Every structure is written in structure tokens, then in C-alpha cells.
Amino acid sequence: CADGGVRRAAGRGWAAGVAAALPNLRAGDRWSLDNDPGAAVRIAGSMFWYAYWYGAAEAFTWGATTAAAVSDDAGPALAGACATASLGACRRGEIATARALAERAVAVAAGEPTAARFAWQALSSAEMMMGNYERTLVCQQHALELARPAGDTAHQAREHAARAVPLRYL
């Protein structure tokens, strides 16, 4: 899946493939919101890393639209959509919204490690932007602990490197 591909050594190739598929993903997202909300959740959630690394503003919007349209009953998969939306809000400077979306992601991801690690990463970004450096470190640690058993070395490296910023401010 492209979500995992953009985090690997061949990530540029995967990212180019995702970029080429954006018109189809866009159409799929629009159709899914009306006809298959579960598919909309999967599309928006699977865009987390692509949006994070490549700044795809459109993917942030998909996350936000899906998060607004789908109830928490959708389960842990909704965490990815909320986390993607949270990153978008953070990048737009809407920090309170980013935090609320990330907290929702953490809540709906309970018991599902893959979804939870993205939720904790999104929450760490919001906390960092709010100047809550101790809380940022706690969130980063949660994300790191969830990335290890998943074997996600890119996420592990990101969390280790990201710790430098709040530690510096502390």
C-alpha cells in the first residue's frame, strides 16, 4: 500500500504514484462520503504519511471532511482520518482544532496500535505548537512505543529526531 511505501527508501517513487493517482483518490473520496463512509475513512487515513511528508493540503481536507461526517462509531480506522485532519489544522495554525482532532483520534484508536501511533504523533505536533513541551515528549513516547512493534523504522526515527525540539525548549 502507498501509505507504507512513502516511508521506505523508495518513497519518492511511491509518492509519485500517489500524486498521479490523486484525481482517482479525489473522486473516490467524494463518492465514498455519500455512499461508503468506511471507504472515506480508509482513504483519508491512508493519506497520513503522504500528507505529512509531501504537504498535500488536499489530503488534509479529506481528513477534515471525513472526520466531520463520520461518527466515532466508525471505530479505530477513523483515527487516521482525524490524525490527518489534525496535521492539516496544525499546519494552518488552527492549533486548538488540531489538538481536538488529535485527542479524538487517540480516543477512537484505543486498542488499535497502528491507528494510535498516528494519533499520538498528531497530538505531539499540536502540543508542541501550543508550547506544552513535557506533554509533547509524552505523546512522542507513546507514538514511538507503538511504532516499535509495528516494525515502522521510519516512524521510530521520526519520533527520536523530533524529541530534540521540545528537549531544546525545555
Side-chain angles (χ1 to χ4, degrees):
C1 130
D3 178 51
V6 297
R7 293 176 278 140
R8 292 183 173 66
R12 281 192 195 150
W14 279 99
V18 173
L22 281 175
N24 289 334
L25 289 166
R26 182 181 310 115
D29 179 68
R30 287 182 186 149
W31 181 88
S32 300
L33 281 171
D34 292 332
N35 299 287
D36 185 355
V41 166
R42 290 188 300 279
I43 291 169
S46 70
M47 296 300 287
F48 181 85
W49 281 116
Y50 180 76
Y52 181 87
W53 292 116
Y54 297 95
E58 184 172 19
F60 296 135
T61 301
W62 297 346
T65 303
T66 301
V70 178
S71 75
D72 291 357
D73 296 339
L78 180 60
C82 290
T84 302
S86 174
L87 289 176
C90 201
R91 290 188 181 179
R92 290 188 305 274
E94 300 167 5
I95 308 307
T97 299
R99 184 186 211 185
L101 283 161
E103 287 174 339
R104 182 178 177 204
V106 168
V108 298
E112 210 299 302
T114 299
R117 65 191 161 112
F118 302 135
W120 283 106
Q121 181 183 339
L123 186 54
S124 76
S125 295
E127 294 293 348
M128 180 69 193
M129 296 301 290
M130 295 182 93
N132 300 329
Y133 306 123
E134 288 96 357
R135 181 76 178 134
T136 300
L137 291 168
V138 169
C139 295
Q140 289 171 336
Q141 187 62 36
H142 282 296
L144 177 61
E145 289 170 1
L146 293 167
R148 282 185 185 128
D152 189 344
T153 56
H155 197 169
Q156 292 173 58
R158 186 259 172 225
E159 295 307 328
H160 281 297
R163 293 178 66 79
V165 178
L167 286 171
R168 164 58 183 96
Y169 282 114
L170 287 170

